[in-house]
């Protein structure tokens, strides 16, 4: 295990100078992630459970216009990733956007967005583990779901407690399976659309314009589909966290961000286009079996349902693994900057094991809440982080607006990745985030999530501001 500090070390040292920082001189995180790990994490991170599982609701709401919804939300995500890539390539750090927000806005901002993202990933660990357990329960109905949850949590907690290269190796193969599955699906879909696949005929645009047209439920349906597609992209930020533990973080972040456009277009927009072109968007099989299984069944692919269940299971397990990793590294970064309990910040053999155990334990506790109080405590947790990704994106955009000017003035050589058409597209991204928030206010369920998340964010912000003022007062007293 290589315990040599990664090339992200200078960034971590700079962070310690920020208000409230608390780095010690103890061991640092390792640089055990190889370039192939980081490349596959970036590639496979786009293909999440939200794509396979959540897309059916979007198709039901928007019909064929779900392609437009995914394209629009994908464009917004590309802008966010470009901004985050610019800052992370300039200053790689396991705290990623939390560090950038702290440097450019204030320590309260880094505290707020960092702990909100940590909570989001911890709750996501519970949700994804429960989803994986449901798949296993379908295969083995005589077993109890909690048994599978416990097994998965033990496995991936152990993976994350070991060397970071173990996490990278798991994610490499998980991502490879997901990429292979979606790649085969895309190839079969294109062949079916061209009418060259045995037993199929070219559908043309009949399914895109028939059965209510391209916008069968009007603009309102498109807006619902847009919301569904936005949240399917959550989790892409983890690659900038992982980059800080790679052998060449600057190069890794730059490559991941630069390939984000074709990955999003190919995997998300491309697969949605194939689904609504090959079969009618209103086909009962989509609601019953899911869009991917419905298409494979239509194409008479043997055991389509079981094949997709395996892929969905892999996507869910990949998310559990990645979310334990991402939450533990964000928590470690916050703690090492003096924004959390110091005793949790110890690093052993290049791994912040105490934050791994903390985040995994919180995730498992959330799973228990889902069994004990599914409609109260667990639902509150889900609501509290329901719109957290939008809060994260908002902080990223504001941080980039401020950071870019400073980098141009102080260290232009660090701008190896640049935001397109700055600052115009940064403001466009902020406007897009605002539009999504306004759309959430129109839907009762989404409105509840927005209010819960807003309340949670406000509490964190107040704590962060009070901490920042206390630190400043202490510093002023010490200087007198």
């Amino acid at each position: 295990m290589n315990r040599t500090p990664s090339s992200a070390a200078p960034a971590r040292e700079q962070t310690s100078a920020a208000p409230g920082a608390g780095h010690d001189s103890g061991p640092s995180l390792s640089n055990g992630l190889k370039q192939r790990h980081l490349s596959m994490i970036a590639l496979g991170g786009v293909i999440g459970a939200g794509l396979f599982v959540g897309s059916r609701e979007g198709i039901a709401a928007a019909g064929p216009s779900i392609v437009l919804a995914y394209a629009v939300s994908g464009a917004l995500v590309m802008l966010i990733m470009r901004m985050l890539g610019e800052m992370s390539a300039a200053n790689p750090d396991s705290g990623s956007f939390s560090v950038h927000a702290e440097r450019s806005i204030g320590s309260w901002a880094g505290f707020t967005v960092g702990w909100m993202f940590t909570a989001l990933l911890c709750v996501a660990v519970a949700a994804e583990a429960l989803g994986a357990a449901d798949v296993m329960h379908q295969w083995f109905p005589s077993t109890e779901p909690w048994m599978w949850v416990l097994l998965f949590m033990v496995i991936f907690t152990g993976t994350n407690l070991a060397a970071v290269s173990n996490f990278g190796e798991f994610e490499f193969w998980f991502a490879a399976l997901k990429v292979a599955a979606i790649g085969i699906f895309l190839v079969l879909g294109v062949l079916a659309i061209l009418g060259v696949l045995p037993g199929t005929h070219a559908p043309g645009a009949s399914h895109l314009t028939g059965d209510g047209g391209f916008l069968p439920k009007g603009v309102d349906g498109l807006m619902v589909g847009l919301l569904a597609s936005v949240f399917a992209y959550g989790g892409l930020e983890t690659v900038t966290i992982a980059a800080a533990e790679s052998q060449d973080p600057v190069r890794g972040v730059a490559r991941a961000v630069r390939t984000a456009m074709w990955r999003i277009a190919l995997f998300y927009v491309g697969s949605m286009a194939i689904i609504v072109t090959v079969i009618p968007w209103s086909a009962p099989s989509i609601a019953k079996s899911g869009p991917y299984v419905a298409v494979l069944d239509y194409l008479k692919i043997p055991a389509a349902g079981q094949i997709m269940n395996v892929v969905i299971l892999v996507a869910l397990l990949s998310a559990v693994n990645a979310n334990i990793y991402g939450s533990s590294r964000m928590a470690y970064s916050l703690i090492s900057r003096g924004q959390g309990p110091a005793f949790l910040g110890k690093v052993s053999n290049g791994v912040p094991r105490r934050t791994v155990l903390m985040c995994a334990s919180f995730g498992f506790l959330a799973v228990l809440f889902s069994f004990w109080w599914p409609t109260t405590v667990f639902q509150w947790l889900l609501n509290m982080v329901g719109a957290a990704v939008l809060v994260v994106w908002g902080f990223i955009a504001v941080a980039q607006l401020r950071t870019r000017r400073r980098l141009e003035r102080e260290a232009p050589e660090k701008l190896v990745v640049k935001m397109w058409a700055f600052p115009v597209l940064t403001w466009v991204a902020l406007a897009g985030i605002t539009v999504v928030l306004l759309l959430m206010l129109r839907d009762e369920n989404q409105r509840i999530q927005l209010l819960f998340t807003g309340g949670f964010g406000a509490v964190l912000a107040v704590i962060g501001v009070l901490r920042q003022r206390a630190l400043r007062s202490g510093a002023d007293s010490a200087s007198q």
Side-chain angles (χ1 to χ4, degrees):
M1 174 53 170
N2 189 343
R3 296 180 56 189
T4 305
S6 73
S7 56
R12 286 194 284 273
E13 290 167 4
Q14 292 168 12
T15 304
S16 64
H23 273 293
D24 55 33
S25 58
S28 63
L29 299 181
S30 73
N31 61 348
L33 290 178
K34 300 176 181 178
Q35 185 60 46
R36 68 179 179 88
H37 292 152
L38 200 62
S39 297
M40 197 57 81
I41 289 170
L43 191 59
V46 186
I47 310 171
L51 176 62
F52 296 115
V53 180
S55 54
R56 80 175 78 190
E57 286 78 16
I59 293 172
S65 66
I66 191 65
V67 178
L68 179 59
Y70 269 91
V72 172
S73 57
L76 173 61
V77 172
M78 281 190 282
L79 296 180
I80 299 298
M81 285 301 295
R82 189 76 184 187
M83 288 185 279
L84 183 55
E86 177 183 284
M87 294 185 290
S88 295
N91 294 298
D93 196 287
S94 61
S96 188
F97 45 84
S98 173
V99 170
H100 307 321
E102 178 173 335
R103 289 173 176 167
S104 60
I105 304 172
S107 65
W108 72 269
F111 178 91
T112 301
V113 71
W115 283 116
M116 177 166 279
F117 188 73
T118 300
L120 166 64
L121 294 189
C122 288
V123 175
V125 166
E128 308 287 7
L130 287 166
D134 285 340
V135 174
M136 297 303 294
H137 182 64
Q138 292 174 26
W139 290 340
F140 306 98
S142 62
T143 60
E144 293 293 333
W146 67 265
M147 297 166 55
W148 295 109
V149 171
L150 180 60
L151 176 63
F152 296 147
M153 292 298 293
V154 168
I155 289 174
F156 293 113
T157 300
T159 298
N160 279 277
L161 286 173
V164 71
S165 57
N166 286 4
F167 159 77
E169 204 63 32
F170 265 94
E171 281 305 292
F172 176 86
W173 291 109
F174 279 152
L177 286 169
K178 289 188 292 183
V179 170
I182 201 72
I184 292 170
F185 177 83
L186 291 171
V187 170
L188 291 174
V190 170
L191 294 177
I193 290 172
L194 297 175
V196 298
L197 198 68
T200 63
H201 63 279
S206 60
H207 296 146
L208 297 175
T209 57
D211 197 15
F214 188 71
L215 285 164
K217 296 187 178 181
V219 176
D220 285 344
L222 175 61
M223 295 299 102
V224 174
L226 180 63
L227 285 176
S229 63
V230 163
F231 294 106
Y233 287 109
L236 288 174
E237 307 85 1
T238 303
V239 69
T240 61
I241 296 174
E245 291 186 77
S246 68
Q247 296 167 346
D248 190 350
V250 174
R251 179 167 163 258
V253 168
R255 177 179 295 181
V257 170
R258 285 168 179 155
T259 58
M261 181 177 294
W262 71 261
R263 287 186 280 118
I264 288 173
L266 180 64
F267 295 140
Y268 276 85
V269 183
S271 61
M272 288 301 108
I274 283 174
I275 290 166
V276 295
T277 303
V278 171
I279 59 176
W281 69 270
S282 57
S285 57
I286 291 181
K288 179 183 177 182
S289 307
Y292 291 86
V293 175
V295 170
L296 293 176
D297 280 337
Y298 173 80
L299 300 179
K300 296 180 175 57
I301 304 299
Q306 294 305 321
I307 291 172
M308 284 312 303
N309 272 335
V310 171
V311 175
I312 290 170
L313 178 65
V314 167
L316 290 165
L317 294 179
S318 173
V320 172
N321 191 34
N323 289 338
I324 291 176
Y325 171 82
S327 59
S328 67
R329 291 330 191 256
M330 181 60 74
Y332 165 76
S333 175
L334 288 159
I335 291 166
S336 67
R337 287 180 276 137
Q339 297 186 346
F343 74 94
L344 291 173
K346 183 178 179 181
V347 175
S348 302
N349 295 324
V351 178
R353 289 175 176 165
R354 293 181 182 180
T355 58
V356 169
L357 288 172
M358 178 191 74
C359 294
S361 298
F362 184 87
F364 189 67
L365 184 62
V367 170
L368 295 179
F369 288 157
S370 74
F371 290 116
W372 296 337
W373 304 293
T375 60
T376 52
V377 178
F378 187 63
Q379 190 59 49
W380 296 338
L381 286 175
L382 291 175
N383 286 336
M384 278 181 9
V385 299
V389 69
L390 295 174
V391 176
V392 171
W393 292 354
F395 273 102
I396 288 172
V398 174
Q400 192 268 337
L401 274 173
R402 293 177 172 230
T403 301
R404 173 65 173 268
R405 297 301 191 197
R406 178 176 59 80
L407 287 173
E408 288 178 334
R409 188 173 58 251
E410 299 175 3
E413 71 280 359
K414 288 189 173 184
L415 288 169
V416 295
V417 176
K418 289 187 177 182
M419 177 60 181
W420 306 300
F422 177 82
V424 175
L425 288 184
T426 301
W427 284 108
V428 168
L430 278 168
I433 294 168
T434 303
V435 169
V436 174
L437 291 172
L438 292 175
L439 289 175
M440 290 185 72
L441 288 173
R442 298 179 56 194
D443 181 86
E444 183 178 356
N445 292 329
Q446 302 276 4
R447 191 184 311 127
I448 292 172
Q449 288 188 357
L450 188 57
L451 293 175
F452 267 82
T453 304
F456 180 44
V459 170
L460 288 175
V462 169
I463 295 173
V465 168
L466 292 176
R467 285 187 70 264
Q468 183 171 302
R469 288 180 178 177
L471 289 168
R472 285 179 177 173
S473 297
D476 291 342
S477 299
S479 64
Q480 292 176 355

